[in-house]
Amino acid sequence: MRRVIVGTAGHIDHGKTRLVEALTGIDCDRWAEEKSRGITIDLGFAHLEEGDFQIGFVDVPGHERFLHNALAGLGGIRIMLLVVAADEGVKPQTREHLAICDLLGIPAAIVALSKVDLVAPDLLELARLEVEELLAATRFAGAEIVPVSSQSGQGVEDLKRRLLALAEGHEAVLEPERAARLPVDRAFHLKGLGVVVTGTLASGAVAPGDALELLPGGGRARVRSVQVHGAARERAEAGERTALQLTGAALGEVERGVQLVAPGALEPTTTLLGRFRLLPDAAKPIRGSTPIRFHLLSSEVLGRLRPLAGAIEPGGEGAIAIRLARPVAAVRGDRFVVRRPSPPETLGGGEILDPHWVRRRGKALEAALAALDGELPQALAHWIEEAGDAGLEAAEAARRLGLDPAAVEPRLEALAAEQRALAVPAAGGRARRWLAPAVYKRLSERAGRTLAAYFKRERLARGMPKAEALARILPGRGAELADVYLDWLARQKVLVVDGDRVNLPGRSAELTGEESDLSRSLLERFERAGLTPPSPAEVASDLGAKPQILEGVMRYLQARGKLARLPGGMVLAAAAVERLREELAASDWESFSVPEFKERYRLTRKWAIPLLEHLDSIGATRRVGDRRLVVRKG
């Protein structure tokens, strides 16, 4: 069945509720106080089914004091039914409701000129002209105006017919790529049933058994049953007035303003970027940080609004940053309304451009606003660049858009096809990530500079230690994907990974003739010294070598297994260590103490302890208490 949600709007006591009852046969006044006072305090709901069309009505209160309740019901509405009493004409709440519907981007409108049985034809015509003039400055200019009387029934059938005709072009469309999202506008407890919530399903679909996340709190609930306009259903779809019986959630967790969404589909936020329009009749421009009451779907939160490109004059538009006192669940494209907290006044409204705005200044701000105020590809490209070295996952972008990640992947691939993004392959259980070309260029240039500087300093090093390279090339969030990026940079021939070392492609450490002579003399000296070699300073003095060059040659020999560096930095010939290992294996010792080792090999404690720790590390011995066991091969 096709469906559309119609929201009533208009001044108090202009006959909205009675007109909905005349159209549907359902009285939307639920509370005793509403009936006794004759006004709608909270939201009321009704529905009408004609052929294959289902029209849901949200009857919002008209009194200024109850406007926050009205705003809770205006999300998800496709048609505004503006009710203006012919005997009173346009009134303050008529203008404010109309302005709010215009700000929320409701696609279509129809006007019911009510109580026509109370006025003469000339006054009826004056009322019509006044309404036409009011609509002219809004998106609803030219909307049909239908004279009606709920009391006598005059024009009611004509209004119903015209509503159905208007609904033909504005029916709700189920978008499978959008996540389920139900803004709660009512929550209550029914004896024997538990917690029940209602709202207009903003996107996706909900069925019994579905798990839903409660945002912004983050709790979980499961759907026990689904109703649409009081009838049990196996599935509710976007654009339907929906009631859900929940399990796993307390009543206090699902108050008005909470959104029930597919788990992980949205992320709460307190900082947003929006395109904002200040109403023409605003008292003054908005220049700096301004206290506001922020309305988005059924939520209402205090916060502050700040223009980002100079003052916004009455009737003007501009980009704004919004900082809220508590989180809301928002996505790009959501419509919002802003009111002044005190004295209460509607200032304006607009559209969310980025639900997770990161503050910027100067040229970076200009570039961000240009991208985010453009089409979706520009916004995605900006978010990819914003992610920096860490890259952007499709799921991260999807949470900003309220889409399934599978629906975002093709959009990212389209950017890659245009060379506006680069895909980093999935690895280590992580999803594929996307980098901005400029980020990749910076990353590859940083890797080249880092390695070149290291090898200029360490010319004879076999490679740069991998851990050190990662810390310099991928600082911050990029380190989370170190192995992925190193593999990627290697395939791009920016670097070479060899075990626990990183190198430049084609590089090899070669000794000069002078260094080759020094390395032979150095190795002979250490091999002759056996287990008690001289210090590097003594060798440098004896051989007449510069300490820096000598240290480089020693590291070169160590990397090639000719020298061994003991704990504490002592160095001896690797051949001496191997001879010691063979001697221990051939000895009659099964185990030995440190004093026994010192005595047998005539070593001081200064040499004995580091040497034993080295033997432990290479598996020649194993420490057990105060003794060492000799580990023999086989």
Side-chain angles (χ1 to χ4, degrees):
M1 178 173 283
R2 294 183 295 167
R3 57 204 175 278
V4 68
I5 297 293
V6 176
T8 66
H11 194 71
I12 180 177
D13 204 30
H14 275 207
K16 297 185 296 297
T17 303
R18 297 286 74 80
L19 181 57
V20 171
E21 185 177 6
L23 288 167
T24 66
I26 299 171
D27 183 357
C28 291
D29 282 344
R30 297 179 292 110
W31 308 111
E33 185 182 358
E34 292 177 331
K35 294 185 181 297
S36 65
R37 293 173 61 181
I39 63 171
T40 300
I41 297 173
D42 207 342
L43 302 173
F45 308 103
H47 66 282
L48 167 70
E49 292 187 5
E50 290 283 337
D52 66 341
F53 239 114
Q54 177 194 84
I55 298 181
F57 289 87
V58 180
D59 183 27
V60 302
H63 196 286
E64 191 278 332
R65 286 171 53 200
F66 307 127
L67 190 62
H68 64 285
N69 286 344
L71 283 164
L74 288 173
I77 288 173
R78 302 287 295 167
I79 298 174
M80 174 191 69
L81 173 57
L82 181 65
V83 182
V84 182
D87 60 338
E88 292 191 6
V90 173
K91 303 292 281 185
Q93 269 67 62
T94 311
R95 297 181 183 279
E96 189 162 26
H97 275 205
L98 179 62
I100 289 169
C101 291
D102 194 22
L103 293 170
L104 289 173
I106 293 174
I110 189 168
V111 181
L113 205 54
S114 65
K115 304 186 181 183
V116 295
D117 54 328
L118 303 180
V119 297
D122 54 342
L123 292 178
L124 178 60
E125 184 58 28
L126 284 175
R128 178 192 291 274
L129 292 173
E130 187 181 21
V131 170
E132 287 178 348
E133 183 180 354
L134 177 66
L135 295 175
T138 72
R139 67 174 62 238
F140 308 118
E144 286 191 293
I145 302 173
V146 185
V148 296
S149 169
S150 302
Q151 186 71 27
S152 68
Q154 178 185 342
V156 171
E157 287 302 318
D158 185 33
L159 176 62
K160 184 186 297 186
R161 180 178 55 79
R162 291 171 187 264
L163 261 176
L164 286 166
L166 187 59
E168 286 284 346
H170 296 91
E171 61 187 276
V173 178
L174 181 62
E175 300 174 276
E177 61 185 17
R178 292 204 167 271
R181 189 181 183 202
L182 181 78
V184 175
D185 52 38
R186 286 173 59 202
F188 46 90
H189 190 281
L190 288 179
K191 188 175 181 180
L193 293 177
V195 174
V196 176
V197 298
T198 69
T200 301
L201 197 57
S203 61
V206 178
D210 286 354
L212 296 174
E213 188 174 9
L214 281 57
L215 296 180
R220 294 291 179 101
R222 189 167 294 278
V223 179
R224 182 174 290 175
S225 66
V226 176
Q227 285 192 359
V228 174
H229 296 303
R233 289 271 292 272
E234 287 302 311
R235 175 184 169 96
E237 298 181 337
E240 292 187 313
R241 283 298 308 172
T242 306
L244 303 180
Q245 181 191 1
L246 302 178
T247 182
L251 183 59
E253 295 180 279
V254 288
E255 60 189 6
R256 177 177 290 174
V258 168
Q259 292 185 44
L260 301 179
V261 304
L266 274 69
E267 185 177 355
T269 178
T270 56
T271 55
L272 309 96
L273 173 73
R275 185 193 304 112
F276 174 77
R277 176 160 61 90
L278 184 61
L279 291 179
D281 56 357
K284 57 183 179 180
I286 292 182
R287 299 187 184 281
S289 181
T290 303
I292 60 168
R293 193 176 294 277
F294 178 79
H295 296 266
L296 180 127
L297 297 173
S298 62
S299 63
E300 175 186 349
V301 185
L302 292 174
R304 302 192 75 85
L305 175 156
R306 182 172 58 87
L308 295 177
I312 301 176
E313 301 290 334
E317 289 191 14
I320 58 165
I322 299 168
R323 182 172 292 276
L324 301 175
R326 55 185 176 84
V328 298
V331 301
R332 176 179 166 89
D334 278 350
R335 308 290 301 195
F336 64 90
V337 170
V338 165
R339 305 195 79 224
R340 192 187 302 279
S342 181
E345 172 194 6
T346 300
L347 294 175
E351 181 180 355
I352 300 297
L353 301 176
D354 187 351
H356 297 280
W357 169 242
V358 178
R359 187 174 181 180
R360 284 175 168 70
R361 298 178 184 276
K363 291 185 177 179
L365 173 62
E366 293 177 14
L369 294 181
L372 292 169
D373 204 12
E375 299 298 320
L376 180 55
Q378 282 70 37
L380 283 172
H382 170 77
W383 291 334
I384 291 171
E385 185 173 350
E386 181 182 80
D389 295 350
L392 181 77
E393 278 188 19
E396 294 168 346
R399 285 192 286 272
R400 281 172 143 148
L401 298 168
L403 297 175
D404 187 287
V408 178
E409 285 278 1
R411 293 169 167 89
L412 294 170
E413 289 168 355
L415 288 177
E418 297 171 6
Q419 298 186 333
R420 297 168 66 187
L422 294 167
V424 180
R430 293 179 177 273
R432 183 165 53 158
R433 301 183 80 88
W434 302 82
L435 279 184
V439 172
Y440 167 69
K441 184 180 179 182
R442 289 198 300 268
L443 188 65
S444 58
E445 288 175 350
R446 190 189 307 145
R449 284 197 309 270
T450 298
L451 292 172
Y454 178 83
F455 293 123
K456 182 179 181 181
R457 190 173 65 252
E458 306 288 346
R459 193 178 59 80
L460 295 178
R462 196 169 74 181
M464 185 175 185
K466 188 175 178 181
E468 184 180 349
L470 290 176
R472 295 178 180 276
I473 297 171
L474 293 164
R477 291 180 60 209
E480 300 172 9
L481 299 169
D483 290 338
V484 174
Y485 284 145
L486 278 184
D487 179 63
W488 187 41
L489 288 168
R491 284 190 279 111
Q492 301 297 317
K493 302 190 184 312
V494 174
L495 50 77
V496 175
V497 180
D498 180 15
D500 62 351
R501 295 188 173 272
V502 179
N503 219 325
L504 287 170
R507 176 190 171 274
S508 62
E510 299 294 338
L511 297 174
T512 64
E514 181 182 350
E515 289 168 338
S516 294
D517 293 341
L518 178 61
S519 71
R520 282 192 294 271
S521 299
L522 180 69
L523 194 55
E524 289 172 3
R525 184 73 184 271
F526 273 98
E527 287 181 344
R528 282 199 311 269
L531 299 179
T532 55
S535 69
E538 291 172 330
V539 174
S541 176
D542 291 348
L543 298 178
K546 293 181 180 180
Q548 290 176 330
I549 295 177
L550 181 73
E551 180 63 26
V553 171
M554 288 178 67
R555 284 198 295 269
Y556 176 87
L557 292 172
Q558 182 185 344
R560 283 152 184 79
K562 302 295 185 180
L563 294 179
R565 192 176 294 269
L566 306 185
M570 296 177 177
V571 179
L572 72 167
V577 176
E578 186 58 29
R579 284 195 300 272
L580 174 61
R581 180 174 189 167
E582 291 172 355
E583 287 178 19
L584 284 172
S587 73
D588 57 357
W589 275 355
E590 294 297 327
S591 70
F592 59 89
S593 66
V594 173
E596 290 170 339
F597 181 74
K598 288 167 57 183
E599 182 179 353
R600 180 164 185 160
Y601 291 99
R602 297 178 182 180
L603 297 171
T604 65
R605 187 175 181 83
K606 171 186 174 182
W607 277 102
I609 296 303
L611 189 53
L612 286 171
E613 289 177 356
H614 181 70
L615 291 172
D616 292 340
S617 71
I618 64 174
T621 58
R622 184 168 72 249
R623 183 174 179 175
V624 180
D626 293 333
R627 300 184 69 80
R628 251 80 177 184
L629 299 179
V630 177
V631 179
R632 293 178 171 86
K633 294 179 180 179

